[in-house]
Structures are given as structure tokens and as C-alpha cells.
């Protein structure tokens, strides 16, 4: 088997004289076989005392994938994967007609899962369901789903195990939702906050759940921040005491 990969090499060069002109250059094959030994050719010029190599993390990617085929889900859009007492479950939201499916992988994600379409729970799930988040709090599992052109948010209560069929309650349009898309939940200061982007109004909505997803959140529409146009996906990171959100816009191809 031959593997084609992009090999990223970085070198630290110690220069013995500031007056020298150093040209650091190396030749590395771009295609090798698994477990094959290969040689790096040093074509550098100038006096280099030492060179230290760093094969950057993920610079060699060997990926194997298996298409698991069709399943109980229809128009799948977003997924939450969770481990419950050693068993893996994946919950997939359906954009049409709205609802959710559960995939049971057993004790390993390498297993072929069994799947079941749990439906839309009597219309309590958002029509055109989108972003989904499921978390454990203490011994209970809770989930949140957003979606729909009108815009709604729903809460799921699984009880003590994800093997249960959850009870679902629609909490309506909180935070001036307008086709909310992606959903993420962060933990900050003992509270839980959810964020979603509204595709139809190019805005961001923040949900404040207090200390539990079992609470009915308050919602605040933060408006169009950063000239968003068709906001699609986003991520939130905490760096040096500050939270940062990055949003991709497929309406104007911007970040």
C-alpha cells in the first residue's frame, strides 16, 4: 500500500556567524509506503552547526473510512456523540421533516451501529431541525435542539440513560430566532450558555440556561456582528481570559 502525504518539516538553524548567508534546504520524498525507511537529503549551504527537526503534529495523515450505508435518519444535518457508562450513542437531527435518530454503537465506535428514527415527538422537535447538543448533568442526560424557518428551541430529557426515549418539550422562539442553524453550549462561571446563528436574519442568539440545561433559558439576539451573510458554522474558544467566536458565512464567503 502506498501513502501520499504532505510532509511538513520545520528546522531550527544555529548560525555560527552573523555575517554568513545561510540557505536551509532539504529534499524529502512526498510518497512512501507504510513502514518504509526513507532518506532526507540535506542541500543546505553555509556553515550550520546543528539542525533540529520537528515533524509537526498531524503532518502525516493515514485515514481509513467506512461508509455505514443508509440508516433510520432522513436528511441528516448535525450530530452529537456521547459515551454513557461505556456505551457509545450518536444522535442525529433531521432537517426534513424534522426530528431525531439514535445510533447505538455498543462499546466501540468501530462497531456497525443499530439505528432507530425517534420521530419528532408529536411536533415538539423543531421543524427542519438543525443544531443539537446532548450533555450529562449529574446522573441525568439532557439535550437541546434548534431549527425551523420560524425558529424554535426544544429540550430533551433522557433521564439516567441515553438508551431511554427522551421526553421533548418545545420552548418556542427564544431570542428572536430565524432559522437557527448550528448550536454550541459552553460552560462559564458555573453557568451554561448556548449560541446559535440565524441564517434568515444574519444574527447570533445567546441562550442563558443558568446552571442546567433543564432550565428554560433566556435568549438575547446579539444582532448582526461582523457583517454576517448566511452564517453557517461557528466555533467558540477561550484564550487568555477571553472568549472568541469565529463564524463562517457562505453568503459572502467570509470568516
Amino acid at each position: 500500500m502506498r501513502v501520499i502525504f504532505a510532509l511538513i518539516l520545520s528546522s531550527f538553524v544555529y548560525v555560527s556567524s552573523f555575517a554568513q548567508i545561510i540557505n536551509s534546504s532539504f529534499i524529502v520524498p512526498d510518497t512512501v509506503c507504510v513502514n518504509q525507511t526513507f532518506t532526507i537529503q540535506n542541500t543546505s549551504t553555509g556553515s550550520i552547526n546543528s539542525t533540529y527537526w520537528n515533524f509537526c503534529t498531524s503532518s502525516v495523515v493515514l485515514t481509513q473510512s467506512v461508509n455505514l450505508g443508509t440508516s433510520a435518519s432522513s436528511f441528516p444535518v448535525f450530530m452529537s456523540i456521547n459515551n454513557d457508562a461505556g456505551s457509545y450513542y450518536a444522535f442525529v437531527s433531521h432537517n426534513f421533516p424534522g426530528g431525531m435518530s439514535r445510533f447505538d454503537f455498543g462499546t466501540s465506535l468501530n462497531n456497525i451501529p443499530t439505528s432507530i428514527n425517534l420521530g419528532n415527538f408529536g411536533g415538539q422537535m423543531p421543524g427542519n431541525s438543525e443544531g443539537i447538543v446532548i450533555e450529562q448533568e449529574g446522573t441525568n442526560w439532557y439535550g437541546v435542539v434548534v431549527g425551523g424557518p420560524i425558529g424554535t428551541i426544544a429540550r430533551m430529557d433522557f433521564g439516567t440513560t441515553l438508551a431511554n426515549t427522551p421526553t421533548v418539550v418545545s420552548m418556542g422562539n427564544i431570542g428572536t430566532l430565524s432559522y437557527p442553524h448550528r448550536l454550541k453550549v459552553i460552560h462559564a462561571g458555573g453557568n451554561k450558555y448556548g449560541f446559535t446563528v440565524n441564517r434568515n436574519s444574519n444574527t447570533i442568539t445567546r441562550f442563558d440556561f443558568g446552571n442546567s440545561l433543564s432550565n428554560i433559558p433566556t435568549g438575547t439576539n446579539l444582532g448582526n456582528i461582523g457583517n454576517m451573510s448566511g452564517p453557517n458554522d461557528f466555533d467558540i474558544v477561550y484564550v487568555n481570559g477571553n472568549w472568541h467566536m469565529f463564524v463562517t458565512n457562505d453568503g459572502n464567503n467570509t470568516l
Side-chain angles (χ1 to χ4, degrees), residues 164-186:
N164 292 335
T165 298
T167 58
V168 180
V169 177
S170 175
M171 295 182 286
N173 189 327
I174 300 175
T176 319
L177 301 173
S178 182
Y179 213 144
H181 207 55
R182 195 75 159 97
L183 175 67
K184 291 184 183 292
V185 172
I186 65 170

Side-chain angles (χ1 to χ4, degrees), residues 115-199:
S115 62
I116 180 173
N117 190 326
L118 298 174
N120 66 359
F121 300 92
Q124 294 299 303
M125 291 283 282
N128 301 110
S129 300
E130 292 283 351
I132 180 172
V133 171
I134 296 173
E135 292 187 357
Q136 187 176 30
E137 296 181 2
T139 60
N140 272 41
W141 289 90
Y142 299 100
V144 182
V145 182
V146 296
I150 297 175
T152 58
I153 178 173
R155 181 184 65 238
M156 297 177 285
D157 185 347
F158 292 86
T160 59
T161 174
L162 291 176
N164 292 335
T165 298
T167 58
V168 180
V169 177
S170 175
M171 295 182 286
N173 189 327
I174 300 175
T176 319
L177 301 173
S178 182
Y179 213 144
H181 207 55
R182 195 75 159 97
L183 175 67
K184 291 184 183 292
V185 172
I186 65 170
H187 302 182
N191 288 336
K192 297 188 175 184
Y193 300 92
F195 291 87
T196 188
V197 289
N198 299 292
R199 288 185 60 81

